[in-house]
Amino acid sequence: MTVLLAVALTVLLSATALLALARIYRGPSLLDRVVAADLLLSAMLAAVGAEAAVNRHATTLPVLVVLSLLGFIGSVSLVRFAVRGES
């Protein structure tokens, strides 16, 4: 049962990451690319969290915290840059 769950999570998160990469590549505007990059980072966070849950260890918690802070700071700074560029 656990192996089936791990395979299902891997397939879904891989599909999410591929779709986010496609949006980053094809995105018509900068904000589309920012949202897709944030989605890609969220998929990475989910993958690391799922790996920690499947293997039952909490040693990846600092990695999750750093990645989530990186995503937040990156998104806020890029949106500020985009807003400043429009005016």
Side-chain angles (χ1 to χ4, degrees):
M1 183 67 173
T2 305
V3 174
L4 182 63
L5 179 65
V7 169
L9 281 172
T10 302
V11 168
L12 289 174
L13 290 173
S14 298
T16 302
L18 286 174
L19 289 172
L21 284 172
R23 177 49 65 189
I24 289 172
Y25 180 71
R26 293 186 60 209
S29 70
L30 177 67
L31 292 179
D32 287 334
R33 290 184 170 101
V34 169
V35 170
D38 199 31
L39 177 66
L40 183 61
L41 187 63
S42 297
M44 288 173 43
L45 281 167
V48 171
E51 186 272 330
V54 167
N55 292 330
R56 297 178 185 216
H57 58 82
T59 57
T60 57
L61 185 62
V63 174
L64 290 173
V65 170
V66 168
L67 282 176
S68 63
L69 285 173
L70 178 71
F72 174 73
I73 291 171
S75 295
V76 169
S77 63
L78 284 174
V79 167
R80 281 187 161 201
F81 173 74
V83 168
R84 187 174 297 158
E86 287 180 0
S87 59

